[in-house]
Amino acid sequence: MAWRRETAEGGRAADQAGARLARQATASLAGLLAERGMTRKDLAECMGVSPGRVSQILSGGENLTLRSLAAVAECLDARVEISFYDPSDGREPYAPDALCPEAAPIAPLAPSPHR
């Protein structure tokens, strides 16, 4: 797997993979924000953080935590899914609920008061 390969720069491949994943997540979040008609300020108020923190999260350069992704998802009435798969074998990502039924979503989130 590319992200595990050691490079002369010592872990540069992992850094690049992490940055790519952060950009994908933040692009998805920005699109969802726009779809919901929410501003960064609205999201900050819902999350209980400063608008500057939301800008850091959406900049794409931030090392996002699962907790920050979950907080954003909750405010956007959305769901975060993380899948691991080997893209070289042509199969789709593993479905967590098929492999582990208890990992399936419990219930939809209540609508956010900021929508």
Side-chain angles (χ1 to χ4, degrees):
M1 288 184 257
W3 57 270
R4 293 193 67 190
R5 283 189 213 124
E6 286 297 321
T7 64
E9 293 82 27
R12 186 160 183 245
D15 290 342
Q16 290 175 340
R20 187 172 45 254
L21 188 57
R23 285 190 305 271
Q24 290 171 350
T26 55
S28 179
L29 290 173
L32 195 53
L33 255 183
E35 185 180 296
R36 299 281 200 269
M38 289 178 70
T39 66
R40 290 178 179 208
K41 182 179 178 188
D42 294 333
L43 182 58
E45 288 174 6
C46 180
M47 292 177 65
V49 299
S50 71
R53 176 65 184 132
V54 170
S55 289
Q56 287 176 333
I57 291 170
L58 294 176
S59 72
E62 180 76 8
N63 188 9
L64 300 171
T65 67
L66 293 175
R67 289 181 193 266
S68 63
L69 290 174
V72 170
E74 185 174 332
C75 287
L76 294 175
D77 192 25
R79 184 173 126 185
V80 176
E81 291 185 3
I82 299 172
S83 300
F84 293 91
Y85 65 101
D86 182 354
S88 67
D89 66 12
R91 290 186 291 161
E92 291 295 315
Y94 303 109
D97 49 339
L99 297 175
C100 183
E102 61 272 10
I106 299 169
L109 296 172
S112 170
H114 296 280
R115 289 180 62 188

